[in-house]
Amino acid sequence: SGVPQLVQPMIWDYAADLDVEGKVHLIEKYRRCGFSKVWFASAFKGATGVNQSLTLIGHHLQNHLQWLRVASSSPADILEGIALTGWQRYDHFSVLCELLPVAIPSVAVCLQALKNGGYSAKVKENVEDLLGMSNLEIDTFMR
């Protein structure tokens, strides 16, 4: 059909405990079908509940750390990129959830984790410095 020369698949998963091995097998299947590149899609906000008002950073951080595991377990040349989504509502008839201002610490943590290949005390310190925060909380809702 020639489709693999025209498009690049995007694999979506927002779970904190996504199936790394299953994603690696899926990437292998795409490669066998002729796709030379794939994208990943994660979320830094808005993927944990239709009426969620605050962002639980730890959930989204774990999702990104899992995607890093998928990337490191896959052929180096197959990953084209990762799209960090930030859902505002679940459908056009739903109320807004997790507005961007409350999710800025989450996007900062997720981007720094991806940039640095993981999360550490140094990454936490970098985010706190960038955002002017004294204490970044990832396992509870920010106060």
Side-chain angles (χ1 to χ4, degrees):
S1 71
V3 170
Q5 287 68 47
L6 300 172
V7 299
Q8 295 175 339
M10 183 172 284
I11 305 169
W12 302 73
D13 198 326
Y14 307 140
D17 60 349
L18 69 84
D19 178 7
V20 172
E21 188 176 312
K23 295 295 184 270
V24 171
H25 289 305
L26 182 58
I27 292 166
E28 291 168 4
K29 287 180 182 181
Y30 277 129
R31 180 164 251 177
R32 284 194 308 269
C33 290
F35 293 96
S36 61
K37 298 286 184 182
V38 298
W39 287 78
F40 298 159
S42 64
F44 69 90
K45 75 173 195 81
T48 56
V50 68
N51 62 351
Q52 191 77 23
S53 58
L54 299 174
T55 304
L56 187 55
I57 298 170
H59 172 90
H60 300 290
L61 172 61
Q62 286 304 313
N63 175 250
H64 287 88
L65 295 176
Q66 293 295 85
W67 277 120
L68 285 171
R69 289 184 55 210
V70 173
S72 68
S73 301
S74 301
D77 62 339
I78 193 140
L79 178 60
E80 185 70 11
I82 183 167
L84 280 75
T85 66
W87 292 96
Q88 196 68 42
R89 65 176 85 207
Y90 279 59
D91 62 58
H92 293 291
F93 301 106
S94 296
V95 297
L96 297 176
C97 64
E98 294 182 61
L99 300 178
L100 183 59
V102 299
I104 289 174
S106 180
V107 73
V109 166
C110 293
L111 286 170
Q112 285 293 310
L114 291 173
K115 178 182 174 185
N116 291 284
Y119 187 75
S120 65
K122 181 65 177 159
V123 170
K124 180 181 186 281
E125 184 180 313
N126 287 345
V127 172
E128 289 171 341
D129 289 345
L130 287 168
L131 299 180
M133 301 174 72
S134 60
N135 186 28
L136 175 70
E137 299 174 30
I138 64 166
D139 294 321
T140 60
F141 292 109
M142 295 292 294
R143 289 188 284 263

